[in-house]
Amino acid sequence: MGKLINGDDGMPAEDEVGIWAKEKHDYLRRYLDISRGTRKKWLGPRKAGATFIDLFCGPGRARVKETGEWIDGSAIAAWKISQEGGASFSDIYVADIDDARRTATVQRLRQLGAPVRELTGSAVDAAAAVAKAVNPYGLHFAFIDPFSLGTLDFRIIQSLAPLKHIDMLIHLSKMDLQRNLGINLASEESAFDSFAPGWREKINPTSSQQEIRRLVVEYWRNLVSGLGIWPSTDMKLITGKGNQHLYWLLLAAKNDLAHKFWEVAVDTGQGKLF
């Protein structure tokens, strides 16, 4: 996490995020807009509701390093697009281990009239808490946007996957996977252990680095599928300056229609892992 500065609205904001953050939030908004017709079916009197869950919400506002412009954080962007589409989320659950960042997002959402619910503690703890708090018959969408591969703890997905109607948009760090592969292979306890528990028994460490990276991701995908929620084959690659590979966005969902929505949202074309 970077430093906090005063935002253009006077509240704490993230300083100098990469311009790729705009692209990431564009895909989030596109998916939520495309799926608004389905969401509407869950909204209204005596309906189970539709919730948005953001476990790494940040402060809710950021300044783009390359342009100096101000952009909304993910939870703010999600609430706004749900309102614009006439299918406003019935609850917004936000979490961040950093109290100042989480509090800023909560305040911004309250100013917008959003039905925000604050979750304290780590993303792992927040995921377990929200799985118990939401209506088990509702429609739920979780945005899982960690700042590293190690913080994409598999227990987060384990907690949310049992919900009957749950879609997850997941940030999977390709840069972290590439840059820190040697460290993860050499360490007795590594980021891979929380990301893909049991990987050591399944992957040959003498394979080429590219093959190991592929196998780790494939093993993780199989772990997720084993929970009854399937990762999309369409993985949107987000790149930085000079076409530097940063991370993939992928959808994990139980419903075929959700995967079709994601295919439309990303326009396909970048589905290969390596």
Side-chain angles (χ1 to χ4, degrees):
M1 292 183 287
K3 67 177 182 178
L4 291 176
I5 59 172
N6 286 330
D8 56 339
D9 58 0
M11 288 192 286
E14 209 74 61
D15 190 22
E16 295 192 334
V17 300
I19 198 167
W20 51 84
K22 291 181 62 179
E23 184 180 5
K24 173 176 62 180
H25 292 164
D26 282 345
Y27 288 116
L28 170 64
R29 280 190 291 263
R30 290 181 67 181
Y31 180 84
L32 294 178
D33 193 42
I34 290 167
S35 59
R36 67 184 184 276
T38 297
R39 192 163 60 252
K40 284 181 180 179
K41 298 177 183 178
W42 301 82
L43 299 170
R46 299 184 180 179
K47 299 290 183 69
T51 66
F52 179 82
I53 302 163
D54 192 339
L55 300 177
F56 301 88
C57 67
R61 193 77 173 156
R63 184 171 65 182
V64 177
K65 180 179 181 180
E66 293 84 351
T67 65
E69 66 184 300
W70 293 96
I71 61 172
D72 289 326
S74 48
I76 310 298
W79 171 247
K80 287 182 177 179
I81 197 66
S82 74
Q83 282 193 305
E84 291 170 12
S88 301
F89 287 104
S90 53
D91 287 294
I92 305 277
Y93 287 86
V94 296
D96 197 290
I97 198 168
D98 185 88
D99 293 341
R101 285 172 166 82
R102 184 186 66 251
T103 298
T105 281
V106 170
Q107 290 176 344
R108 286 186 167 100
L109 285 168
R110 285 176 177 163
Q111 287 182 357
L112 294 170
V116 59
R117 297 176 182 267
E118 185 176 3
L119 300 163
T120 59
S122 69
V124 171
D125 292 339
V130 77
K132 295 178 181 178
V134 298
N135 188 323
Y137 302 103
L139 179 66
H140 311 294
F141 180 91
F143 185 50
I144 304 175
D145 185 28
F147 52 84
S148 69
L149 197 67
T151 50
L152 182 54
D153 194 302
F154 190 67
R155 290 174 294 176
I156 295 171
I157 301 172
Q158 280 182 312
S159 290
L160 297 176
L163 293 170
K164 186 175 182 180
H165 306 288
I166 177 73
D167 302 336
M168 307 180 204
L169 184 57
I170 302 172
H171 166 165
L172 182 61
S173 177
K174 184 176 184 182
M175 183 175 67
D176 203 5
L177 184 67
Q178 293 175 322
R179 179 182 293 174
N180 298 318
L181 181 63
I183 295 173
N184 286 312
L185 290 175
S187 302
E188 290 186 7
E189 295 184 8
S190 75
F192 287 178
D193 295 319
S194 57
F195 166 66
W199 69 276
R200 296 178 190 274
E201 290 75 41
K202 300 294 183 178
I203 295 170
N204 184 353
T206 64
S207 301
S208 69
Q209 289 195 356
Q210 181 174 354
E211 180 66 3
I212 291 172
R213 288 193 292 267
R214 186 189 68 81
L215 290 172
V216 167
V217 174
E218 198 58 38
Y219 173 66
W220 176 83
R221 290 173 60 88
N222 289 335
L223 284 180
V224 176
S225 297
L227 298 174
I229 184 166
W230 293 274
S232 59
T233 54
D234 289 280
M235 295 174 62
K236 186 65 180 179
L237 178 63
I238 305 296
T239 60
K241 290 182 178 179
N243 202 36
Q244 178 189 18
H245 291 189
L246 299 177
Y247 52 85
W248 296 288
L249 285 177
L250 66 95
L251 187 79
K254 300 179 180 182
N255 190 287
D256 288 340
L257 184 59
H259 286 287
K260 291 178 181 177
F261 288 155
W262 180 240
E263 289 176 9
V264 174
V266 299
D267 292 331
T268 65
Q270 284 188 322
K272 293 184 178 181
L273 298 182
F274 298 96

